[in-house]
Amino acid sequence: MRDGFTWGVATSAYQIEGATRADGRGETIWDRFTNTPGRVIDGATGDVACDHYNRWEEDVALMSDLGVAGYRFSIGWARVLPDGRGTVNQPGLDFYDRLIDGLLEAGITPYPTLYHWDLPQALEDEGGWRSRDTVGAFVEFADVVTRRLGDRVSTWITHNEPWVAAFVGHLEGVHAPGLTDWGAALTAAHHLLLSHGEAVPAIRGNVPDASVGIALDCRPSFPATDRPEDAAAQRHFDGFRNRWFFDPVFGRGYPADVVDTYVARGRFGPDGPGYVLPGDMDTIAAPIDFVGINYYTSLPISAGADETEDTGIEPGAEATPGYTEMGWPITPSALTTFLERVHRDYDPGSILITENGASFSDGPGPDGTIDDRRRIEYLRDHIAAIEAAVDAGVPVDGYFVWSLLDNLEWSLGLTQRFGLVWVDHATGRRLPKASFDWYRKRIER
Ligand code: FCB
């Protein structure tokens, strides 16, 4: 790997913190969503989650044991601004202040993400990401947080996976706020991107040596067959899933072929993409210092009726040797190819793999240890895929395993376990898995 390469782990606020009513925290869309019967597969909520809010010192000690140099976590907007804007809740900010000091004392560099999907419910009540006003509220949040913490934290990630926030939340209806509307999803996507672009200079204004980026999820794909209609479907899927975010962030605007298809399919609604105002695309293209890439899987795409993620998933297809318990094909080589493509097409100065990991439910065996060798193989093969990209000249500067802890996997509740550390969800007890030891040794090397 390159000099100064950062080995790390990742989590997010709603998935681990719990303590959702502590110290003046406001309600978020995920509190509302998980506490609505029928939204989460097993009825789990984030009310307690991993109780990280109370056990953060133990979690920092675990990371210190693991030997990571970086920790990616997110800052709960409603802890800091319970109503989304306006009055600052000092006890909420104090929590992140303590966490950051604890990390720095342990020699771990903090990599905070400002938005990992937990919009304050008060903003949702005013239209959430469908409303342009939420952009200003996000910039206010970014300003308050970086003013307080920017003296000790230089690396900032604006958003986590805006595709998921926009489309899984507003089109598929599977994430908060649970809408199923193309117009809402595309409008939300634009406002998420715009808020990123407006936050970048705001963060730089508060943090002297700031390094700012965004974490984009990627879903590489390939045509399921050599039929031309599958190639066309794959190109559109790639536009929907990847280029719609990468292109504007890197100054290319929205991809014209995807715009044309959306117009043809009536995706924008009767007024077209009227939410894009003059100057927006320049704002979104604010220069960044790195791009974060979250990678889990890639998909074969065959011509289908719609863009949805399900199009073309072929469980058991020969091209894919195995699956994780999310039902995701394990395809490390697609990561190498995607990284080469990002380097070639967008030329970011630096890339961080801000998430990569696997859901396998292996728990304690008769001797009390956890033999999660499938996770070890997954991590080993994906790290090798990154090394191959680095050898080909791609500037990857860090790798963050998703996740430190087994946690609340959104609408899949507690049914999925991504952690290097097992969490007994009844008691909160933590138990490192074999993959934890493996990763520690990998980092040492
Ligand atoms: C990503 C999310 C993260 C986690 C992993 C499995 O899409 O950013 O919070 O849910 O998937």
Side-chain angles (χ1 to χ4, degrees), residues 12 15 116-117 160-161 164 294 296 328 355 402 409-410 418:
S12 88
Q15 292 178 277
H116 202 123
W117 309 347
N160 178 67
E161 303 192 348
V164 174
N294 294 357
Y296 291 92
W328 290 341
E355 287 181 26
W402 184 272
E409 181 49 32
W410 308 108
F418 278 89

Side-chain angles (χ1 to χ4, degrees), residues 250-297:
F250 288 99
R252 297 175 165 204
Y254 288 119
D257 59 312
V258 187
V259 172
D260 289 348
T261 307
Y262 286 165
V263 169
R265 294 183 183 178
R267 300 302 194 210
F268 291 116
D271 302 327
Y275 50 78
V276 181
L277 301 188
D280 282 5
M281 303 320 290
D282 288 340
T283 303
I284 294 171
I288 51 177
D289 302 288
F290 64 90
V291 67
I293 288 184
N294 294 357
Y295 178 80
Y296 291 92
T297 189

Side-chain angles (χ1 to χ4, degrees), residues 46-66:
D47 296 0
V48 178
C50 302
D51 198 25
H52 170 79
Y53 190 77
N54 296 306
R55 304 177 78 131
W56 65 269
E57 285 170 292
E58 185 183 346
D59 294 336
V60 172
L62 278 167
M63 285 187 266
S64 182
D65 251 22
L66 182 57

